[in-house]
Amino acid sequence: MAQTALTPEKTAPPASAARPPARGTRSGASRASRTTHPRTLLVAAVAWLLAAVFLLPYVEMVITALRPAHELRDATYLPADFEWANFVNVWRESHLGDNLRVTLLVAAGSTLLVLLVAVPAAYYTARMRFRGRKLFLLLVLITQMFQPTSLLVGLYREFYQLGMLNSVWTLILCNAAFNLAFAIWILTAYFASIPEALEESAMIDGLGRGGALLRITLPLAMPGVVTAMIFTFIAAWNEFVMGLTLSTLPESQPLTVGINGFIGNYSVQWNYLFAGSVIAIVPVVILFALIERKVVSGLTAGSVK
């Protein structure tokens, strides 16, 4: 039988080998990646416009804080001379230093007290299916509807009889009480989003319920804790009505009430008012900038499972 020689079939070379890309040309993929969609440009322009609108009042506040007293009524946007001494004068000629100290103590103390109470309460509510659980959460939500102004008369009489007016502890207790419900509500949702199997595995290894909470659940729930902390801190920092009612001495009033003292019956010290406002917002801006990422992740807690 005759044997036929088998010759391999010739295959066409790949297109990339047959036609090498010319120098100086860009591929379609890189060209598409560098092309910006008009909708993206529009969204970016609107975002920058909104940012400018929101930042413009703060820019105006800083400019007014640096105006000399004789230029407060001038029509020019920028002052002829920047009066940096306004920040020094407002600190020396008022109780702004004492007001800042009181506000720091009240905001930090009320935030710590809220977290000490809200963390175990929210954890127990999220993990235990006790009788009246839904009613408890409903009552927590209802307490958010009460405004501090509606309870001021009762609070004033109560603390007056206890001899606790003009006290930092009074403001700490009031601010903690009015911010506790929000902290419990947001932490309950966050604890509920954490799988319970993680705690069960830890308890099998020898940890108790408290140890599992401190070592396993609480570190995972830290974004929610930070969210509750920052909202409580800002609410206590910006509180005005209770500080005005429960503190009558200038040196025992919070910063918001102290700044209001620059508004008189017949005149307003606009340069000192805005200088004090700049001093008041700086600590909150720094705190929010440091933990902004955890605040955003905590706000989305429980939305996706």
Side-chain angles (χ1 to χ4, degrees):
M1 179 180 292
Q3 294 183 352
T4 59
L6 299 178
T7 59
E9 298 180 357
K10 294 182 179 181
T11 59
S16 60
R19 296 180 180 179
R23 293 183 179 180
T25 60
R26 297 179 181 178
S27 62
S30 63
R31 191 183 302 112
S33 62
R34 292 175 180 271
T35 303
T36 304
H37 199 277
R39 182 180 299 178
T40 305
L41 293 176
L42 179 61
V43 171
V46 173
W48 280 106
L49 179 61
L50 290 177
V53 170
F54 282 108
L55 290 177
L56 188 60
Y58 296 97
V59 175
E60 179 67 25
M61 179 176 63
V62 175
I63 293 175
T64 308
L66 295 174
R67 281 185 182 274
H70 62 274
E71 294 187 22
L72 290 175
R73 296 184 180 274
D74 290 353
T76 57
Y77 188 75
L78 294 176
D81 298 317
F82 289 95
E83 190 70 26
W84 295 97
N86 286 340
F87 291 96
V88 179
N89 295 334
V90 75
W91 193 268
R92 291 178 178 176
E93 299 176 7
S94 65
H95 294 278
L96 199 64
D98 296 328
N99 302 144
L100 181 60
R101 177 184 58 83
V102 170
T103 301
L104 285 172
L105 291 176
V106 170
S110 58
T111 302
L112 180 61
L113 183 58
V114 164
L115 293 180
L116 289 177
V117 178
V119 168
Y123 176 77
Y124 186 85
T125 305
R127 287 290 184 258
M128 305 299 175
R129 297 297 184 266
F130 56 91
R131 182 177 297 180
R133 177 178 177 272
K134 292 184 178 180
L135 179 61
F136 171 74
L137 291 176
L138 180 62
L139 291 176
V140 169
L141 185 61
I142 290 175
T143 55
Q144 286 292 98
M145 302 178 184
F146 291 100
Q147 293 293 329
T149 53
S150 62
L151 304 175
L152 276 179
V153 176
L155 289 174
Y156 182 86
R157 294 186 60 182
E158 180 178 355
F159 287 113
Y160 175 78
Q161 294 175 356
L162 294 174
M164 294 182 62
L165 294 179
N166 299 310
S167 173
V168 174
W169 292 105
T170 300
L171 298 179
I172 290 176
L173 291 175
C174 290
N175 282 280
F178 282 104
N179 291 286
L180 183 61
F182 173 79
I184 292 177
W185 186 266
I186 193 172
L187 287 176
T188 299
Y190 206 97
F191 282 131
S193 66
I194 298 176
E196 195 171 355
L198 298 176
E199 298 177 10
E200 295 174 353
S201 301
M203 287 187 285
I204 291 176
D205 292 337
L207 286 178
R209 175 69 70 173
L213 170 63
L214 294 177
R215 297 187 180 184
I216 305 298
T217 308
L218 197 57
L220 295 175
M222 194 53 63
V225 174
V226 171
T227 302
M229 179 191 73
I230 191 64
F231 273 91
T232 303
F233 187 90
I234 292 177
W237 187 275
N238 295 329
E239 202 284 321
F240 174 77
V241 178
M242 287 188 295
L244 179 63
T245 306
L246 301 178
S247 297
T248 57
L249 298 177
E251 62 273 11
S252 65
Q253 292 175 336
L255 193 58
T256 51
V257 182
I259 293 175
N260 189 62
F262 296 110
I263 302 177
N265 293 329
Y266 303 101
S267 64
V268 179
Q269 296 174 295
W270 291 108
N271 50 349
Y272 291 164
L273 176 65
F274 283 104
S277 300
V278 172
I279 295 174
I281 68 173
V282 168
V284 178
V285 171
I286 295 175
L287 177 64
F288 193 85
L290 292 176
I291 56 178
E292 178 264 339
R293 292 184 179 180
K294 291 189 176 181
V295 172
V296 174
S297 60
L299 287 175
T300 57
S303 60
V304 179
K305 288 190 177 181

